[in-house]
Each structure stands twice: as C-alpha cells, then as structure tokens.
Amino acid sequence: MRTGLYPGTFDPLTNGHVDIISRAVKLVDHLVIGVAMNEQKKPLFSVEERVAMVTDEMAPISKASGVRITVEAFDDLLMKFAERLKADIIIRGLRAVSDFEYEFQMVGMNTFLNDEIETVFLMADPHHQAIASRLVKEIARLDGDISKFVPQSVARKLVEKFGK
C-alpha cells in the first residue's frame, strides 16, 4: 500500500490542483490531501472551508481511479505530518522555473529531516500553468470571470465570499 501526500493551502482549490490530484492518484493507493493551516499567508477561507471545498471535489476522482482520497488539515512541519501518515511520497506540482527553485530548497531540507520519504514533482498541464490561487482571488474580488480557473462549486464560494 503506497501512500502519497499532496500538501498545500488550497486557498482556493484551483483546476491546476485538481489536475495534479487526478494524475497523482496514478502513483499511489491512498492519497492524502494535506490542507495547511498556514495563517502567515492570511487565507481568505478558513481551514474548515478549504477542507470542505477539496473534499467536495475528490469523490469523482476517487471513484474514477479506485484510489482512496482523504483530506486532512495540518498545522505542523510537513515532514512530521508525512511521518504521522506513514506517507511514502510527497507530491508537488510545478508550474514554472520559479516554483522549481523554491521546491528544490524544500526537498533538500526535507531530505535532511527524513530521507525515507521521496518527493515527486508533477508538471502542471500547460492549460493550468498560469493559474495561481492568489491571482484567482484577485480576479474574483474584482468581479472577473474565474470559471476557467476553478471548479464551479469553488467559483460559487468565491462569489459569495466577495459578495458579488
């Protein structure tokens, strides 16, 4: 049984995240989506709202792939969370070279903390490479069309949040 962990803040969940999750299930028997609490990023949605948004979108992927997908919030060191889950791999999505530079540093540090857990990078689909949660929030705040960037249910929650 191979367990993978896909961590992120998911504030909000984007189609880019969904794409990575849809491909990550090909690598594992159980995928845990770790929703980071990370208050330093000043999330728009509470951790409970983010967990609910991600959970709502996972059922079709789990059913289609036959892979068990669970969603859990965490607020501790990523490697401690991964160890607690008995994760074999950490899955990260890459959109651009700038993502790689940051992730390269993180892998180095994480390997020092636990060299038994591998990090696997999945390149974002070209259709999703420009999508960033912070940009989606800005477009939604300014009453722009976000339907190409997030699942419908997430778009509705963003519209509600900004009172549009």
Side-chain angles (χ1 to χ4, degrees):
M1 172 79 107
R2 182 176 296 273
T3 299
L5 169 59
Y6 179 43
T9 51
F10 306 105
D11 185 46
L13 178 74
T14 68
N15 290 338
H17 295 130
V18 174
D19 171 61
I20 295 295
I21 292 164
S22 296
R23 292 188 289 131
V25 294
K26 298 174 185 174
L27 305 174
V28 296
D29 304 297
H30 175 212
L31 181 63
V32 178
I33 313 297
V35 180
M37 292 186 192
N38 200 345
E39 293 304 315
Q40 291 175 340
K41 285 192 172 182
K42 296 184 169 81
L44 176 65
F45 293 97
S46 71
V47 72
E48 295 82 10
E49 290 171 311
R50 290 181 281 138
V51 166
M53 277 190 280
V54 175
T55 300
D56 290 347
E57 295 299 321
M58 292 306 104
I61 298 170
S62 183
K63 184 177 181 181
S65 67
V67 171
R68 185 166 69 106
I69 301 175
T70 55
V71 182
E72 293 186 37
F74 73 102
D75 67 351
D76 54 353
L77 194 62
L78 174 62
M79 293 309 282
K80 287 187 178 189
F81 182 54
E83 289 166 357
R84 201 167 56 249
L85 297 170
K86 297 185 178 11
D88 301 291
I89 62 174
I90 294 172
I91 295 156
R92 301 293 293 163
L94 295 175
R95 293 171 299 186
V97 172
S98 57
D99 286 349
F100 179 78
E101 291 173 10
Y102 170 79
E103 295 294 343
F104 184 78
Q105 283 186 310
M106 291 301 298
V107 168
M109 294 302 289
N110 288 341
T111 300
F112 278 115
L113 295 171
N114 185 329
D115 63 1
E116 295 295 314
I117 301 174
E118 293 293 335
T119 300
V120 175
F121 296 105
L122 297 176
M123 294 300 299
D125 180 283
H127 294 97
H128 303 301
Q129 285 179 350
I131 301 173
S133 292
R134 71 180 168 76
L135 297 176
V136 170
K137 288 185 284 193
E138 184 69 6
I139 293 167
R141 185 181 69 79
L142 296 171
D143 203 23
D145 180 9
I146 55 172
S147 62
K148 294 177 183 164
F149 309 124
V150 296
Q152 282 184 343
S153 63
V154 173
R156 283 191 298 275
K157 289 184 182 353
L158 279 161
V159 168
E160 289 170 15
K161 195 62 98 165
F162 289 114
K164 304 284 180 181

